[in-house]
Amino acid sequence: LVRACKICGNSVVPRHQVERAMYFHCSACDFLQNFYWEDHRGEAHAQEAANDEARARLWQPGSAEHERKKAWEILGLMTSPIAWRSRTIHALLRSIPAYERWQRYRAHRKLKRVLDFGCGSGALVREFLYEGFECIGLDPFAPPNTPHVLRTSLTNARLRGESFDGIFAIETMEHISDVLGTFREIARILRPGGMFFVQTRRLEDPDYQTQQERWFYLREPTTHVSIYSTTAFRRIARKTGFRSVQFRGVKFARFKK
């Protein structure tokens, strides 16, 4: 069976066998991917169980104070130009009340309506609402009846075009099989000038360089199906309607429409 890259369509080569899944690498995109769920389309219930099990094991809910700090960290990274120019300066300034007030003012000006894509239990959705933002979450594997959360896929949600100022995905994009379709839909529902903030480990992570298939991101092969790089994200941005993408460290990326 010939495999094709989910980004560029070029042929891919086997790179890592992890449990039941083989990860394939595209040299043109520097993109690591597996096709586990494409090969097991009739096992949607098993995919939901795998996601639920991984979330329960890896993502224990934090305190309200922890979630509030996390929400404002995301908002700062979505809207602050300083955060992307110098991590050191941004870290130092965060302890200054005036800088925090400026961040809050800027966030409220730029992000009226926000989507948490892959929101899990909806903890960050609740914090964004508490802070005065209009926010909804979307996650097909969210607990049933979670307030302000759509328990469906991005495509099935049929959200109105150009209806969000900002979208963020925290440890979500590695779970996505339909990479280009998902990014195109996110670009469609973002307003012009809107931002898509992504937190996911990339292949430039030194731990991957040294550990290869023992890297913790590859130890979840039935849920971590797409592992990106800066090259992969730049190619995706060009193909799906984003003007640019910026990077911060090996896990943050910010796409601008």
Side-chain angles (χ1 to χ4, degrees), residues 78 110-116 133-136 138 150 154 157-168 184-195 257:
M78 288 179 76
K110 296 180 78 68
L111 302 174
K112 302 293 185 186
R113 192 160 191 257
V114 184
L115 172 68
D116 181 353
F133 295 89
E134 185 181 348
C135 182
I136 63 170
L138 189 148
L150 302 175
L154 182 62
R158 302 192 180 194
L159 298 166
R160 185 164 50 88
E162 299 185 357
S163 57
F164 293 95
D165 303 296
I167 300 171
F168 61 94
R184 287 191 180 111
E185 181 64 6
I186 287 169
R188 185 188 71 82
I189 63 176
L190 265 179
R191 291 174 181 147
M195 286 169 290
K257 181 179 175 182

Side-chain angles (χ1 to χ4, degrees), residues 100-217:
E100 183 180 349
R101 289 195 298 272
W102 174 77
Q103 276 195 296
R104 287 174 179 264
Y105 169 76
R106 186 177 177 86
H108 278 287
R109 268 192 71 191
K110 296 180 78 68
L111 302 174
K112 302 293 185 186
R113 192 160 191 257
V114 184
L115 172 68
D116 181 353
F117 176 50
C119 64
S121 65
L124 287 173
V125 173
R126 291 190 292 273
E127 292 305 323
F128 274 69
L129 291 167
Y130 175 83
E131 296 290 349
F133 295 89
E134 185 181 348
C135 182
I136 63 170
L138 189 148
D139 193 326
F141 306 112
N145 304 315
T146 305
H148 308 288
V149 171
L150 302 175
R151 196 173 187 266
T152 186
S153 68
L154 182 62
T155 303
N156 290 338
R158 302 192 180 194
L159 298 166
R160 185 164 50 88
E162 299 185 357
S163 57
F164 293 95
D165 303 296
I167 300 171
F168 61 94
I170 307 301
E171 302 293 335
T172 296
M173 300 311 292
E174 64 273 16
H175 300 273
I176 301 300
S177 292
D178 181 11
V179 175
L180 293 181
T182 298
F183 272 88
R184 287 191 180 111
E185 181 64 6
I186 287 169
R188 185 188 71 82
I189 63 176
L190 265 179
R191 291 174 181 147
M195 286 169 290
F196 176 38
F197 174 74
V198 174
Q199 176 182 316
T200 186
R201 297 275 177 172
R202 300 194 306 277
L203 292 179
E204 292 85 2
D205 190 324
D207 288 342
Y208 171 65
Q209 301 299 323
T210 58
Q211 298 170 10
Q212 296 291 294
E213 65 271 7
R214 292 181 290 107
W215 187 39
F216 80 104
Y217 242 45

